[in-house]
């Protein structure tokens, strides 16, 4: 097992395309992604605007100018929004009445739950592979093509499995046999424009409420590309929808008009809510002080016309900062007319001296009115974020019973390993969330300011203990000749939210900025009211360098690790996993766990190590667990399905006890959420095994599907 960093031979930005050596295994999981949120009501500068202009029109108002012209979009009450929506539509249950897996998280509520019960805890051990499909769209980065990272949830809709690939092809498969129905090649550039790899998180699906017979594109699948194009295809034929945007292709980059250092990459498929496409974008972390500011675009699902936009940063902050975007999926409560945004942190990620004013919608969960984009409520989970602790997963919506009362709730997992639970209609605490004093820095970083407090949940308890330095793993320390002990002595740590520093080896960060919980988010069984979440336990070091020292120290970067310049800011940075010379983690295992929580009480029902860390062809004991990327799915049969681990295994666990019930080996780590669907009376479980070089230097192109043997 190894967690050492592999550096490219030539200095690059953190997001330059590189092939990561196998020695990076566990270490690479420690690299940052976007993160968290805040405790503020929504009457702040950031807001939204409606636009009637077509998406292709050059006259569409920019988010900043529209913001200035529409002050009425602020101060929207939850009651007004929900009353209006309820008056205009028939009831829409939070949990679909029929089995549904037609989006990234299975359903708009992000529960990743299936009511199917053909496969149960008693018989799941009998499931077998019924088909697999290889896309051929794969690269290990050893040639001219960057490595591929494939996190695409298989979408089941229209009696078809739809997948998108890292080469930006869209493929339709027969759900019972895996036979290809059709495929479409976007012919997008295979260049790592905003990421160090070629990346795809799949497709989205929409169908008309009242399809017009004989008309094309009454059912549409959508897929975006790294070069900021959104494609809309007829779900039956794979032909471009000529009535969508510019003959089936929307140029999202037409709205990239502020600090346009990179294209607005559409790596996460849009969230489909009724007849709206809710579109965010991804960019570069850690590269610049000023960056494109985060904007959500609401589009008409059939025409691609721009309906409204939302921005999380004020006009003033947009001039000197950027991002605070939504790069992952969103969730929605259609019954109450609310869209939930997991908003990331502003730029530059590890120095905030250029953005000392309040930015209450950054690193937040923010609820918008679906029809207008107006802010209904917002909770910020990291004040003045200087840790890249973006909110990286859609909040999971749930109805729970607490102290005998029914609560319309949501649970927001964060990179810190926190689980914040609030009323999804009002944003109010379900269990108390406390503002607690946090470390205020050592004075080594000029121009920085620090939030005096940060929000901490009281229930559920943090998924890992960040109150003191993680204990040194004696085995790694012994193998390293005391190297881990010396490193620990030279790292600053005062508990959660220890600020970055220029001193010594920097600050210890636990968990790392890649996330104690990743983009898979929290699954939820609405019957037992049990939440399931996988968590990684990783220690990272963060060191800032002034400009002169950075130029001397910079030795390149990998995927979510190494050196990054933060151009324009007075400090560059280095992020590393805390390992010994052999790449062994310096902190004690387990390195990853699967946790079940009783949402009546917020207490842990069970927790257990999940997966096995692997390096040099050897698997470590499963009691040590594995870092994970990707999330779980849960079924009415009492089964939790998950891939996500370094060892590239697919597993099933008992929802009730946490016992492992089944496993199988996949081609690569299955870093996408699994799908559960029914076709012609048979229940299937589908995984995409594509790998992620953050986790391990192993990639794949496999779609693999399981079911019980036919009688």
């Amino acid at each position: 097992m190894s967690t050492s960093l592999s550096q490219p031979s030539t200095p690059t930005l953190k997001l330059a395309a590189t092939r990561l050596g196998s020695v990076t295994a566990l270490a690479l999981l420690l690299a940052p992604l976007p993160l968290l949120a805040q405790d503020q009501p929504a009457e702040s500068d950031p807001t939204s605007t409606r636009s009637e202009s077509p998406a292709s029109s050059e006259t569409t108002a920019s988010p900043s100018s529209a913001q200035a012209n529409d002050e009425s979009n602020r101060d929207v009450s939850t009651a007004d929004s929900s009353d209006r929506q309820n008056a205009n539509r028939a009831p829409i249950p939070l949990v679909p009445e029929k089995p549904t897996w037609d989006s990234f998280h299975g359903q708009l509520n992000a529960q990743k739950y299936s009511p199917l019960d053909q496969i149960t805890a008693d018989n799941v051990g009998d499931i077998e592979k019924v088909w697999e499909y290889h896309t051929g769209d794969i690269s290990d980065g050893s040639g001219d093509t960057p490595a591929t990272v494939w996190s695409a949830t298989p979408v089941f809709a229209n009696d078809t499995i739809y997948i998108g690939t890292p080469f930006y092809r869209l493929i339709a498969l027969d759900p019972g046999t895996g036979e290809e129905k059709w495929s479409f090649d976007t012919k997008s550039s295979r260049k790592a424009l905003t990421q160090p790899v070629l990346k795809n998180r799949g497709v989205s699906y929409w169908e008309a409420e009242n399809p017009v017979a004989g008309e094309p594109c009454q059912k549409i699948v959508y897929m975006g590309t790294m070069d900021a194009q959104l494609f809309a295809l007829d779900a039956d034929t794979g032909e471009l929808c000529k009535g969508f945007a510019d003959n089936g292709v929307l140029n999202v980059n037409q709205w990239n008009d502020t600090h346009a250092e990179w294209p607005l990459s559409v790596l996460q498929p849009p969230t489909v809510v009724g007849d709206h496409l809710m579109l965010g974008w991804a960019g570069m972390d850690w590269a610049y002080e000023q960056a494109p500011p985060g904007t959500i675009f609401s589009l008409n699902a059939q025409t691609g016309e721009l309906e409204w936009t939302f921005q999380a940063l004020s006009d003033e902050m947009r001039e000197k900062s950027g991002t605070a975007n939504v790069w992952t999926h969103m969730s929605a409560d259609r019954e109450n007319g609310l869209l939930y945004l997991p908003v990331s942190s502003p730029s530059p990620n590890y120095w905030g001296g250029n953005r000392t004013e309040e930015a209450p919608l950054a690193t937040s969960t923010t609820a918008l009115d679906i029809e207008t984009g107006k802010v209904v409520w917002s909770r910020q989970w990291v004040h003045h974020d200087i840790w890249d602790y973006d909110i990286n997963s859609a909040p999971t919506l749930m109805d729970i019973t607490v102290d005998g009362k029914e609560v319309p709730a949501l649970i927001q997992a964060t990179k810190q390993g926190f689980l914040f639970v609030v009323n999804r209609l009002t944003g109010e605490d379900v269990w108390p969330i406390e503002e607690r004093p946090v470390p205020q820095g050592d004075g080594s970083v000029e121009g920085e300011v620090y939030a005096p407090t940060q929000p901490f949940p009281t229930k559920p308890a943090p998924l890992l203990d960040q109150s003191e330095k993680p204990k040194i793993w004696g085995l790694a320390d012994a193998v390293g000749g005391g190297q881990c002990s010396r490193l620990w002595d030279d790292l600053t740590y005062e508990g959660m939210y220890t600020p970055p520093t220029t001193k010594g080896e920097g600050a210890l960060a636990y968990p790392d900025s890649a996330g104690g919980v990743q983009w898979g988010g929290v699954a939820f069984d609405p019957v037992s009211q049990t939440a399931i979440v996988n968590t990684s336990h990783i220690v990272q070091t963060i060191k800032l360098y002034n400009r002169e020292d950075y130029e001397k120290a910079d030795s390149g970067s990998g995927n979510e690790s190494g050196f990054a310049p933060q151009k324009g800011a007075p400090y560059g940075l280095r992020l590393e996993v805390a390992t010994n010379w052999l790449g062994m983690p310096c902190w004690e295992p387990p390195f990853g766990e699967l946790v079940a929580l009783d949402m009546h009480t917020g207490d842990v029902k069970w927790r257990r190590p999940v997966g096995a860390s692997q390096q040099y062809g050897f698997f470590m004991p499963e009691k040590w667990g594995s870092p994970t990327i990707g999330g779980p799915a849960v079924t009415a049969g009492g089964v939790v399905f998950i891939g996500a681990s370094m060892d590239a295994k697919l597993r099933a666990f008992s929802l009730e006890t946490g016992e492992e019930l089944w496993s199988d080996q996949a081609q690569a780590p299955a870093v996408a959420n699994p799908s559960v669907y029914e076709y012609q009376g048979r229940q299937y479980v589908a995984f995409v095994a594509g790998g992620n070089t953050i986790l391990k230097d192993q990639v794949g192109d496999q779609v693999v599907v399981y079911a019980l043997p036919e009688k």
Side-chain angles (χ1 to χ4, degrees):
M1 167 176 39
S2 168
T3 60
S4 66
L5 289 169
S6 173
Q7 304 293 351
S9 56
T10 16
T12 62
L13 295 182
K14 166 225 164 209
L15 294 170
T18 60
R19 179 174 184 262
L20 302 175
S22 61
V23 74
T24 58
L26 179 59
L28 293 181
L29 187 65
L30 281 176
L33 292 171
L35 192 63
L36 250 56
Q38 266 172 250
D39 275 348
Q40 304 270 354
E43 345 33 330
S44 332
D45 291 343
T47 185
S48 63
T49 179
R50 293 191 59 83
S51 171
E52 303 303 330
S53 304
S56 57
S57 171
E58 295 181 358
T59 62
T60 298
S62 71
S64 55
S65 63
Q67 175 191 50
N69 292 333
D70 192 359
E71 298 297 320
S72 65
N73 281 343
R74 306 170 190 174
D75 259 347
V76 180
S77 75
T78 304
D80 289 346
S81 173
S82 59
D83 287 349
R84 182 176 64 258
Q85 297 303 329
N86 289 334
N88 293 338
R89 68 160 69 95
I92 303 173
L94 183 69
V95 180
E97 295 174 349
K98 296 181 179 180
T100 301
W101 218 279
D102 59 2
S103 64
F104 186 75
H105 288 302
Q107 312 88 28
L108 275 176
N109 56 31
Q111 289 185 4
K112 297 167 280 291
Y113 168 75
S114 173
L116 297 174
D117 59 5
Q118 190 178 101
I119 299 172
T120 68
D122 292 330
N123 64 25
V124 68
D126 297 328
I127 65 173
E128 60 186 15
K129 184 191 303 182
V130 293
W131 61 264
E132 67 178 295
Y133 176 87
H134 291 268
T135 68
D137 293 2
I138 182 174
S139 172
D140 64 4
S142 59
D144 294 334
T145 303
T148 49
V149 163
W150 196 23
S151 312
T153 301
V155 164
F156 174 73
N158 192 34
D159 280 345
T160 304
I161 290 290
Y162 297 103
I163 57 172
T165 81
F167 287 179
Y168 307 110
R169 289 195 307 131
L170 203 156
I171 301 171
L173 303 173
D174 182 286
T177 66
E179 180 181 354
E180 186 176 308
K181 291 185 174 183
W182 55 258
S183 67
F184 178 87
D185 189 349
T186 66
K187 303 188 186 307
S188 177
S189 167
R190 295 183 189 175
K191 295 181 179 179
L193 301 174
T194 60
Q195 308 286 302
V197 291
L198 299 179
K199 183 181 294 185
N200 175 273
R201 293 202 180 103
V203 306
S204 299
Y205 176 83
W206 169 87
E207 62 180 55
E209 185 174 353
N210 298 300
V212 179
E215 287 291 318
C217 296
Q218 300 299 288
K219 301 174 181 179
I220 302 177
V221 284
Y222 310 89
M223 188 180 72
T225 65
M226 193 177 293
D227 57 5
Q229 306 299 302
L230 179 65
F231 288 77
L233 306 179
D234 186 293
D236 290 322
T237 66
E239 299 291 328
L240 284 168
C241 292
K242 301 299 184 182
F244 182 88
D246 185 7
N247 291 313
V249 185
L250 173 66
N251 175 20
V252 179
N253 220 44
Q254 67 182 290
W255 299 309
N256 190 5
D257 58 5
T258 307
H259 312 314
E261 301 288 350
W262 59 70
L264 304 182
S265 295
V266 185
L267 306 178
Q268 178 73 47
T271 302
V272 180
V273 185
D275 289 332
H276 309 284
L277 301 183
M278 306 303 186
L279 186 67
W281 54 265
M284 290 186 181
D285 286 334
W286 324 332
Y288 300 94
E289 175 190 28
Q290 297 177 336
T295 304
I296 294 297
F297 307 99
S298 176
L299 309 171
N300 180 282
Q302 197 160 27
T303 67
E305 291 184 349
L306 182 63
E307 299 169 329
W308 52 257
T309 62
F310 163 85
Q311 63 186 45
L313 299 180
S314 66
D315 287 347
E316 180 184 6
M317 188 172 286
R318 285 163 56 92
E319 290 304 314
K320 53 191 176 182
S321 179
T323 62
N325 56 325
V326 176
W327 57 266
T328 189
H329 215 56
M330 305 166 225
S331 51
D333 180 348
R334 290 190 64 198
E335 171 69 14
N336 291 290
L338 296 175
L339 174 72
Y340 300 94
L341 310 183
V343 184
S344 73
S345 59
S347 65
N349 299 88
Y350 290 94
W351 181 76
N354 69 326
R355 47 180 175 87
T356 57
E357 64 268 51
E358 291 186 2
L361 302 184
T363 318
S364 75
T365 303
T366 294
L368 304 182
D369 183 293
I370 290 171
E371 300 299 330
T372 66
K374 295 178 181 179
V375 174
V376 177
W377 61 261
S378 184
R379 293 295 296 266
Q380 186 175 64
W381 306 126
V382 182
H383 308 317
H384 190 66
D385 188 350
I386 51 173
W387 300 271
D388 192 30
Y389 274 156
D390 315 321
I391 297 299
N392 61 355
S393 64
T396 301
L397 315 184
M398 55 186 66
D399 294 325
I400 57 178
T401 305
V402 179
D403 296 330
K405 297 180 180 179
E406 297 295 323
V407 180
L410 68 74
I411 183 169
Q412 179 66 73
T414 73
K415 287 186 179 178
Q416 302 95 304
F418 290 155
L419 299 170
F420 292 102
V421 184
V422 299
N423 184 306
R424 70 174 181 272
L425 304 184
T426 65
E428 298 172 337
D429 300 359
V430 171
W431 291 289
I433 298 169
E434 299 176 349
E435 288 286 335
R436 298 177 184 170
V438 291
Q440 294 297 292
D442 58 14
S444 69
V445 181
E446 293 183 7
E448 189 57 275
V449 298
Y450 304 100
T453 65
Q454 295 287 356
F456 286 77
T458 56
K459 276 196 171 186
L463 294 173
L464 60 171
D465 182 6
Q466 324 100 325
S467 62
E468 56 186 27
K469 274 187 181 179
K471 293 180 180 178
I472 295 172
W473 189 19
L475 178 60
D477 202 32
V479 171
Q483 184 180 4
C484 293
S485 294
R486 292 190 295 273
L487 175 61
W488 252 231
D489 289 342
D490 210 14
L491 287 170
T492 300
Y493 193 70
E494 301 176 70
M496 191 69 202
Y497 298 112
T498 297
T501 178
T502 63
K503 294 183 177 179
E505 288 298 315
L508 183 148
Y510 182 65
D512 71 305
S513 55
V517 180
Q518 260 288 344
W519 63 69
V522 178
F524 180 68
D525 170 33
V527 178
S528 66
Q529 297 192 13
T530 301
I532 303 290
V533 60
N534 54 299
T535 179
S536 297
H537 302 186
I538 307 291
V539 173
Q540 182 181 44
T541 68
I542 305 172
K543 182 169 182 176
L544 296 182
Y545 296 83
N546 63 37
R547 278 290 141 221
E548 182 179 354
D549 291 341
Y550 179 82
E551 297 304 323
K552 296 175 182 177
D554 181 11
S555 58
S557 62
N559 188 0
E560 303 291 345
S561 60
F563 287 82
Q566 299 192 137
K567 289 184 178 179
Y571 296 96
L573 68 120
R574 183 197 69 200
L575 300 173
E576 290 183 338
V577 179
T579 63
N580 68 11
W581 65 272
L582 190 59
M584 297 175 66
C586 280
W587 65 99
E588 286 187 343
F591 306 120
E593 292 182 295
L594 191 63
V595 184
L597 302 121
D598 183 342
M599 293 307 294
H600 298 98
T601 63
D603 296 330
V604 171
K605 292 180 68 172
W606 54 260
R607 61 190 305 159
R608 54 155 295 145
V610 59
S613 299
Q614 186 215 353
Q615 181 63 357
Y616 308 123
F618 296 99
F619 291 98
M620 301 300 107
E622 289 199 18
K623 66 180 181 180
W624 292 353
S626 166
T628 55
I629 296 179
V634 62
T635 75
V639 181
V640 177
F641 291 100
I642 190 170
S645 56
M646 280 183 73
D647 56 14
K649 285 189 176 182
L650 316 171
R651 290 179 168 86
F653 296 91
S654 166
L655 174 64
E656 180 62 28
T657 67
E659 177 188 359
E660 184 175 320
L661 305 172
W662 168 87
S663 70
D664 195 25
Q665 190 70 47
Q667 181 188 13
V671 297
N673 292 343
S675 299
V676 181
Y677 64 92
E678 184 178 41
Y679 179 65
Q680 296 182 346
R682 194 179 188 190
Q683 181 179 343
Y684 296 85
V685 183
F687 296 86
V688 159
N692 189 317
T693 49
I694 298 173
L695 186 62
K696 180 184 179 185
D697 190 16
Q698 180 182 11
V699 294
D701 68 340
Q702 180 188 36
V703 184
V704 59
V705 179
Y706 298 86
L708 290 170
E710 291 186 293
K711 296 180 180 179

